[in-house]
Amino acid sequence: MANAHTLRMVDYNQNSEVQALAASILSELIKKFAAKILVHLAPNEILNVCEYGCATGGSSIAPIRAIEELAGQRKVVIIMNDLPMNDWKTLETTIEAKFPRIDFKYLAKTMYSPIAEEASIHLGYSCFAQHWLDNGAPTGLSGDALWANQLPMNCLERQSWEKASRDNWTNKLLLRANEIVPGGRLIIHIHSSLNCGNLSENFAETLRKAKFQMITNKELSPEQAIDLHIPQYCKSPAEIFNILCTPEMSSLWQMEEAHYQQLPCDELFEQSNIKKQIGFLKGFLDSTLRTSLNQLQINRFWDHVSQFASNDSTALTSNGMSTFISLKRLG
């Protein structure tokens, strides 16, 4: 099992172009606002950084490089945080050889818990992490939906997922407010939905069709169909900013800059390459599929996906919506 898990995580790094694109955009915000932090640090003061949800490092390189370039000869300590089942060996191999002057620390626990000591972090950042729900799926999903965003807005199941995501977002902001020093920054990329709450990625609809086909062919039991879901909830701009604009959050965080945009994956990646796109999707979905399907069923699922994509070069495109935010800790 360990070897299979390691292989999956290595595959994630090798199929993380979309994550790396978002990280490169996030890095521009890091360059801009980390520079403002450094102005107020004494020349010999250590720059303390934390990456929340680092995965295996593929999308960490651009942000770390931006931080290193800004810091110059200043000592930098970066806490790399992710869940205990993360492939920590691959993470270390990916980043430590590239950044020998940086002191890395590794912390295996959920980001929805305290990560650092009170007022100890100057710069926190997170890329492609906040849409994954902390405690997994709050309910099963009816019909052929794989994401709660594919259910109607008035559906009780969807509303429970929306609440779980809202609670996660609130909790994360409160936890980071305790850890980040006054004047420090939290810079985040949030994988988002369209402003109507639906998903913009074509691949999500194609995967929904594959689930429907398996239900139709009786390749899934009724219980498996309900349990076959991805524990992500992509928030709309309103769901993100409404929390930030509450009196409680406004007293803790000043929103300095925000961008809501669709990632231009079509312009940068060969998204019509079905084999490559399925590799990308497997990199972050297969571990979830294994919780409800056996290997034969997983193979059948991807067979259906391939068939639906074979006559449509846009069927697996990943042009998702993204929200980039820089928050300044008040106090």
Side-chain angles (χ1 to χ4, degrees), residues 229-288:
H229 44 57
I230 310 302
Q232 303 173 338
Y233 183 83
C234 296
K235 290 184 286 297
S236 69
E239 291 171 314
I240 294 169
F241 294 120
N242 283 348
I243 297 298
L244 285 169
C245 295
T246 61
E248 180 181 31
M249 294 304 172
S250 296
S251 70
L252 297 171
W253 298 106
Q254 175 189 336
M255 187 161 54
E256 295 181 296
E257 190 168 328
H259 303 271
Y260 173 70
Q261 63 192 78
Q262 189 169 46
L263 292 180
C265 300
D266 272 340
E267 301 171 13
L268 299 174
F269 311 137
E270 188 184 355
Q271 294 206 88
S272 60
N273 184 327
I274 294 174
K275 183 177 180 180
K276 182 175 180 60
Q277 285 303 103
I278 288 180
F280 158 67
L281 293 169
K282 285 183 174 182
F284 75 94
L285 294 179
D286 261 6
S287 61
T288 297

Side-chain angles (χ1 to χ4, degrees), residues 1 12 14 26 42 48 70 73 75 94 101 105 118 133 161 166 185 190 193-194 200 209 218 233 236 251 272 318:
M1 288 296 292
Y12 180 86
Q14 294 171 348
L26 189 75
N48 290 309
L70 283 167
Q73 297 304 308
K75 183 176 180 181
T94 301
R101 294 195 298 110
K105 298 181 178 180
E118 183 177 350
L133 297 182
W161 285 59
R166 182 172 62 248
R185 265 66 173 190
I190 301 175
S193 70
L194 294 164
S200 65
K209 291 178 181 177
K218 300 188 184 305
Y233 183 83
S236 69
S251 70
S272 60
S318 309

Side-chain angles (χ1 to χ4, degrees), residues 11-282:
D11 286 346
Y12 180 86
N13 250 10
Q14 294 171 348
N15 293 281
S16 59
E17 288 176 314
V18 176
Q19 288 85 348
L21 171 60
S24 69
I25 299 171
L26 189 75
S27 297
E28 295 304 312
L29 280 179
I30 289 174
K31 288 179 186 177
K32 180 174 181 178
F33 292 102
K36 296 178 183 292
I37 295 170
L38 291 171
V39 168
H40 300 286
L41 292 188
N44 61 345
E45 188 172 354
I46 296 170
L47 177 65
N48 290 309
V49 180
C50 185
E51 178 174 355
Y52 302 95
C54 57
T56 48
S59 56
S60 302
I61 294 169
I64 295 172
R65 182 172 292 120
I67 293 165
E68 183 181 57
E69 290 173 358
L70 283 167
Q73 297 304 308
R74 182 190 299 274
K75 183 176 180 181
V76 179
V77 175
I78 303 182
I79 298 173
M80 306 298 287
N81 159 246
D82 213 317
L83 294 169
M85 69 281 292
N86 189 43
D87 182 3
W88 295 97
K89 182 175 179 58
T90 296
L91 172 65
E92 291 179 29
T93 302
T94 301
I95 60 174
E96 290 195 356
K98 288 183 172 61
F99 304 103
R101 294 195 298 110
I102 292 179
D103 182 7
F104 289 102
K105 298 181 178 180
Y106 302 94
L107 190 58
K109 61 188 299 191
T110 173
M111 71 172 72
Y112 300 106
S113 63
I115 300 299
E117 294 180 4
E118 183 177 350
S120 63
I121 301 296
H122 300 107
L123 171 65
Y125 69 93
S126 185
C127 187
F128 256 113
Q130 213 282 314
H131 59 297
W132 289 93
L133 297 182
D134 179 26
N135 294 314
T139 68
L141 297 182
S142 58
D144 54 12
L146 277 163
W147 283 268
N149 295 82
Q150 294 173 317
L151 294 172
M153 296 288 286
N154 62 354
C155 174
L156 292 178
E157 294 164 317
R158 175 173 179 147
Q159 290 173 3
S160 70
W161 285 59
E162 179 185 334
K163 181 182 184 302
S165 180
R166 182 172 62 248
D167 291 347
N168 282 178
W169 180 219
T170 301
N171 188 35
K172 179 172 182 173
L173 289 168
L174 292 174
L175 287 165
R176 302 299 81 88
N178 187 61
E179 295 165 354
I180 293 178
V181 301
R185 265 66 173 190
L186 178 62
I187 302 177
I188 308 178
H189 163 251
I190 301 175
H191 182 197
S192 307
S193 70
L194 294 164
N195 58 302
C196 64
N198 296 331
L199 298 176
S200 65
E201 298 91 341
N202 285 356
F203 76 69
E205 176 62 17
T206 301
L207 269 57
R208 185 195 65 77
K209 291 178 181 177
K211 179 180 178 181
F212 177 79
Q213 192 64 53
M214 292 187 76
I215 294 171
T216 302
N217 293 352
K218 300 188 184 305
E219 295 169 332
L220 297 175
S221 69
E223 294 77 18
Q224 284 179 312
I226 291 173
D227 288 341
L228 179 54
H229 44 57
I230 310 302
Q232 303 173 338
Y233 183 83
C234 296
K235 290 184 286 297
S236 69
E239 291 171 314
I240 294 169
F241 294 120
N242 283 348
I243 297 298
L244 285 169
C245 295
T246 61
E248 180 181 31
M249 294 304 172
S250 296
S251 70
L252 297 171
W253 298 106
Q254 175 189 336
M255 187 161 54
E256 295 181 296
E257 190 168 328
H259 303 271
Y260 173 70
Q261 63 192 78
Q262 189 169 46
L263 292 180
C265 300
D266 272 340
E267 301 171 13
L268 299 174
F269 311 137
E270 188 184 355
Q271 294 206 88
S272 60
N273 184 327
I274 294 174
K275 183 177 180 180
K276 182 175 180 60
Q277 285 303 103
I278 288 180
F280 158 67
L281 293 169
K282 285 183 174 182

Side-chain angles (χ1 to χ4, degrees), residues 309-328:
S310 61
N311 295 317
D312 183 358
S313 62
T314 69
L316 297 179
T317 52
S318 309
N319 304 316
M321 302 307 300
S322 288
T323 304
F324 297 89
I325 307 174
S326 177
L327 300 173
K328 180 180 180 180

